[in-house]
Amino acid sequence: MTKVLDIKANEKNFIELKEYIDTVKGVNGALMQVLHTAQDIFGYLPIEVQKFIASELDVPLAEVYGVATFYTQFAIEPKGKHKIGVCLGTACYVKSSQLIMDKLSKELNIKVGQTTADNLFTLEATRCLGCCGLAPVMMIDQDVYGKLEPKKIPEILEKYR
Ligand code: FES
């Protein structure tokens, strides 16, 4: 579900972004720098911010959107308070990490890449987390959970609610 940014409540943020844009307008690579700054200010890059950047830099919205969605460091949806990363690397995958993902998806009622309606959790797939001996593995923020089974998921989620 796409959330709409409250422009009035973010007026100060737009002013801050405009001030930054004015310092890099016309500079090579300005769009990347502006997107980074916008993400720092707003936490993500909603469509309203992309439109503002397109207009201020005088570039097509399609170009702004293209860059914002191409690079994984940019997010066009807000992230939840807790980020869940399920490892889909080879070692975890053969130990059925997809079942862990499916269980999380069902418990949270969201798909991979989405955030719960209460903004508490964002569910993501990750590459190898470097602890294959614990496969299947997931991380919630900085906490690592290994040797997972789908039935353990509700209890783990409860700690973050
Ligand atoms: S493949 Fe999952 S931790 Fe390495």
Side-chain angles (χ1 to χ4, degrees), residues 83-93 97 100-101 104 123-148:
K83 199 172 122 190
I84 305 175
V86 179
C87 178
L88 294 184
T90 310
C92 287
Y93 195 79
S97 58
I100 304 299
M101 182 66 96
L104 283 160
L123 181 59
E124 292 176 339
T126 70
R127 295 183 184 173
C128 178
L129 293 167
C131 42
C132 309
L134 295 176
V137 178
M138 75 170 177
M139 281 188 81
I140 301 186
D141 304 329
Q142 299 310 313
D143 305 329
V144 177
Y145 294 92
K147 299 202 181 291
L148 284 168

Side-chain angles (χ1 to χ4, degrees), residues 40-136:
D40 284 346
I41 294 172
F42 290 89
Y44 71 113
L45 300 169
I47 192 69
E48 296 81 0
V49 172
Q50 293 176 48
K51 282 182 186 165
F52 182 77
I53 292 170
S55 146
E56 290 296 322
L57 282 180
D58 203 17
V59 296
L61 176 60
E63 189 179 330
V64 176
Y65 180 79
V67 175
T69 50
F70 181 79
Y71 293 97
T72 51
Q73 71 258 45
F74 297 128
I76 60 169
E77 292 283 340
K79 299 278 181 189
K81 186 175 171 205
H82 301 295
K83 199 172 122 190
I84 305 175
V86 179
C87 178
L88 294 184
T90 310
C92 287
Y93 195 79
V94 299
K95 294 257 182 181
S96 305
S97 58
Q98 186 61 51
L99 294 180
I100 304 299
M101 182 66 96
D102 293 346
K103 180 69 177 172
L104 283 160
S105 193
K106 193 171 164 221
E107 287 291 318
L108 299 170
N109 201 22
I110 51 172
K111 293 185 184 141
V112 183
Q114 293 184 331
T115 298
T116 52
D118 59 4
N119 282 330
L120 199 53
F121 296 104
T122 296
L123 181 59
E124 292 176 339
T126 70
R127 295 183 184 173
C128 178
L129 293 167
C131 42
C132 309
L134 295 176

